[in-house]
């Protein structure tokens, strides 16, 4: 894993950079959770789980900025049929680890909810039996990879991790706020984004 870490919160997903959503689907969430367990068992690891979490939070900052003012996000890379799974790190941070610096509960909830509504309001996401169909937004079976089946589509359900929070948590009770691209494209002040060299500490 450390050989794949590039910088600024991004892993390459292989010996060469593969620009897809696997930093969100698998890499950051599983790495953070595994390292946390190993640290609790006092097992030596290449990096601390706190450093892995810091990297994931930096990645969260990118993912939040990828959500357009209209609640869409780019359809690039493999496995895009995992739909809202692309926001697994944002959901995991919201539920378990706390939000990345600069993020608020109302902002992240609003961004994820708007994107979810945009995606699932389109016809074809579900078949007549109510099960997910292959596609990104709607039924688009040609987007599937050779390893994809209907069961793997349910990776999208990981966006619901915040449902593990109590009803009185700020994730649910905080007023909805604009997310970064909404502010940017409406001419409002928004935070500058800077490269973050996350040291191996």
């Amino acid at each position: 894993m450390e050989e794949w870490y590039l910088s600024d919160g991004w892993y390459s997903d292989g010996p060469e950079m593969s620009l897809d959503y696997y930093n969100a689907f698998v890499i950051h969430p599983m790495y953070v959770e595994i390292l946390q367990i190993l640290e609790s068992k006092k097992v030596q690891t290449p990096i601390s789980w706190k450093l892995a979490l810091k990297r994931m939070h930096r990645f969260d900052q990118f993912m939040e900025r990828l959500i357009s003012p209209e609640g869409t996000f780019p359809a690039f890379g493999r496995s895009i049929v995992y739909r809202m799974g692309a926001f697994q790190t944002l959901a995991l941070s919201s539920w378990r680890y706390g939000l990345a610096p600069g993020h608020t509960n109302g902002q992240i909830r609003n961004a994820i909810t708007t994107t979810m509504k945009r995606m699932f309001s389109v016809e074809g996401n579900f078949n007549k039996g109510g099960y997910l169909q292959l596609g990104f937004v709607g039924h688009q079976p040609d987007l599937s990879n050779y390893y994809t089946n209907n069961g793997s589509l349910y990776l999208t359900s990981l966006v619901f991790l915040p449902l593990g929070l109590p009803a009185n948590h700020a994730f649910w009770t905080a007023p909805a706020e604009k997310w970064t691209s909404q502010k940017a494209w409406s001419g409002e002040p928004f935070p500058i984004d800077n490269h973050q060299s996350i040291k191996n500490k």
Side-chain angles (χ1 to χ4, degrees), residues 73-168:
F73 64 98
F76 60 72
R78 63 193 178 106
S79 302
I80 60 169
V81 296
Y82 296 168
R83 293 181 169 98
M84 293 296 296
F87 300 103
Q88 181 180 351
T89 59
L90 282 174
L92 180 63
S93 293
S94 299
W95 168 57
R96 188 168 184 185
Y97 295 113
L99 298 175
H103 287 173
T104 66
N105 285 289
Q107 168 193 22
I108 298 303
R109 186 193 69 245
N110 193 24
I112 289 175
T113 302
T114 302
T115 306
M116 213 181 305
K117 287 179 177 178
R118 180 74 187 258
M119 176 172 280
F120 290 107
S121 66
V122 175
E123 290 294 323
N125 286 295
F126 303 95
N127 64 20
K128 291 180 180 177
Y131 294 99
L132 284 170
Q133 299 193 103
L134 295 165
F136 176 62
V137 177
H139 187 211
Q140 301 151 318
D142 292 341
L143 295 178
S144 298
N145 297 91
Y146 70 90
Y147 51 79
T148 310
N149 61 46
N150 283 71
S152 57
L153 302 181
Y154 283 85
L155 198 65
T156 193
S157 66
L158 291 168
V159 77
F160 293 114
L161 287 171
L163 290 174
L165 294 169
N168 62 354

Side-chain angles (χ1 to χ4, degrees), residues 18-107:
S18 180
L19 190 56
D20 52 39
Y21 290 110
Y22 269 83
N23 272 268
F25 293 147
V26 174
I27 295 173
H28 279 293
M30 291 190 176
Y31 202 30
V32 165
E33 291 180 312
I34 289 169
L35 288 172
Q36 184 180 24
I37 291 168
L38 290 174
E39 187 169 297
S40 73
K41 303 294 182 185
K42 302 193 182 331
V43 176
Q44 190 68 31
T45 58
I47 65 165
S48 68
W49 83 266
K50 288 183 179 179
L51 175 57
L53 179 60
K54 188 174 182 181
R55 291 175 179 176
M56 185 173 83
H57 277 159
R58 174 58 178 151
F59 180 75
D60 282 344
Q61 292 172 336
F62 283 110
M63 289 306 300
E64 186 270 345
R65 285 173 181 256
L66 280 179
I67 301 173
S68 77
E70 300 78 25
T72 63
F73 64 98
F76 60 72
R78 63 193 178 106
S79 302
I80 60 169
V81 296
Y82 296 168
R83 293 181 169 98
M84 293 296 296
F87 300 103
Q88 181 180 351
T89 59
L90 282 174
L92 180 63
S93 293
S94 299
W95 168 57
R96 188 168 184 185
Y97 295 113
L99 298 175
H103 287 173
T104 66
N105 285 289
Q107 168 193 22

